[in-house]
Amino acid sequence: MEGDLPHGRARRGAVSGRLSPEDAEEFIRTNTRLASPPHVPEIQLHLADEAHELWQRTEEELQQIGLPPPFWAFAWAGGQGLARYVLDHPESVRGKRVLDFATGSGLVAIAACRAGAGQVRAADTDPFSATACRLNMKANGVSFECTCADLVGTYVDCEVLLAGDVFYDRALAARVEPWFAKLAAQGVTVLVGDPGRAYLPKARMDELAVYSVPVTRALEDAEIRRTTVWRFS
């Protein structure tokens, strides 16, 4: 396992699902249940149970049904910490144009909506993420735009970029870090939630808050992760 990838957590990439949107929704409903992440109990998400077979299936089997690794099925520590920060500090997003990068389940995007963001857009290259986000929007009575485009390195029309748990892989970090730095230099507030992943560029960030976040032992080899919210400087 390279760096500090959680168990079963592969690199994110653009993968075209073979299931129709209707089948994808049925798959998500069948393999998850509506539950609240422990550190953000005011939000409900369609989540897989701890040690769920979803993460036990082989890569070959996942490819056969067109399913990328199901990041959207779990509330990762970085996302929980960042969502908690946004809800506790609504002024960080209130009335602003917000992008939730690598959104997964949409947890942080939902928190931004709840905190009064003026416009929220969520991006994830996994097409299943968009379906999961739509289900989770409905469960929480919010609405935001979803895109499967790979936005890294591009211009994004936002005032705040939120990124939960994106520095777990060397290749992804190498792409994301200069992009975040460029956006920050252009005046975008870049907030990162991270539970101590191996490729976090701490020297380029300012610490804003620290949380002890309950996590899934089957994926993280721990029950609590010390999670920090950083601002890219």
Side-chain angles (χ1 to χ4, degrees):
M1 185 169 66
E2 181 185 4
D4 190 32
L5 275 81
H7 289 292
R9 187 161 190 174
R11 296 176 180 85
R12 287 180 188 240
V15 182
S16 297
R18 298 173 188 169
L19 300 182
S20 69
E22 293 77 15
D23 288 339
E25 180 173 333
E26 181 181 355
F27 182 90
I28 292 171
R29 289 186 181 278
T30 300
N31 289 280
T32 64
R33 63 183 178 85
L34 205 57
S36 295
H39 207 63
V40 198
E42 56 266 74
I43 291 177
Q44 288 193 311
L45 302 172
H46 287 80
L47 299 174
D49 291 330
E50 184 164 332
H52 193 278
E53 65 174 3
L54 207 56
W55 277 104
Q56 307 304 320
R57 295 177 177 175
T58 65
E59 182 177 356
E60 180 180 356
E61 182 183 357
L62 293 175
Q63 290 176 346
Q64 286 176 351
I65 64 174
L67 178 65
F71 295 98
W72 46 264
F74 295 92
W76 300 90
Q80 287 197 59
L82 186 54
R84 182 75 271 151
Y85 180 84
V86 168
L87 290 169
D88 291 347
H89 301 84
E91 69 280 358
S92 63
V93 299
R94 185 183 294 125
K96 298 177 181 179
R97 301 186 310 279
V98 175
L99 173 66
D100 178 20
F101 172 71
T103 188
S105 65
L107 169 59
V108 179
I110 292 168
C113 290
R114 289 277 188 89
Q119 180 184 22
V120 178
R121 187 183 187 204
D124 200 300
T125 55
D126 181 354
F128 281 82
S129 171
T131 302
C133 283
R134 285 192 289 272
L135 291 171
N136 291 331
M137 285 184 226
K138 184 176 181 181
N140 291 277
V142 300
S143 179
F144 52 85
E145 177 188 350
C146 293
T147 178
C148 292
D150 184 356
L151 300 181
V152 178
T154 69
Y155 167 78
V156 289
D157 181 21
C158 67
E159 296 168 276
V160 180
L161 184 146
L162 305 172
D165 215 338
V166 297
F167 287 102
Y168 57 86
D169 173 72
R170 186 193 301 272
L172 179 60
R175 295 185 67 215
V176 167
E177 181 181 345
W179 182 48
F180 284 0
K182 182 178 180 180
L183 292 174
Q186 293 171 344
V188 176
T189 299
V190 179
L191 302 182
V192 175
D194 187 272
R197 301 300 184 205
Y199 304 107
L200 178 74
K202 291 183 181 180
R204 306 188 73 163
M205 296 199 249
D206 299 318
E207 182 180 302
L208 299 180
V210 179
Y211 302 101
S212 295
V213 179
V215 292
T216 303
R217 174 171 285 279
L219 299 180
E220 295 277 11
D221 260 352
E223 294 182 351
I224 300 290
R225 273 279 193 173
R226 185 179 186 273
T227 300
T228 304
V229 175
W230 305 86
R231 176 171 177 163
F232 225 88
S233 59

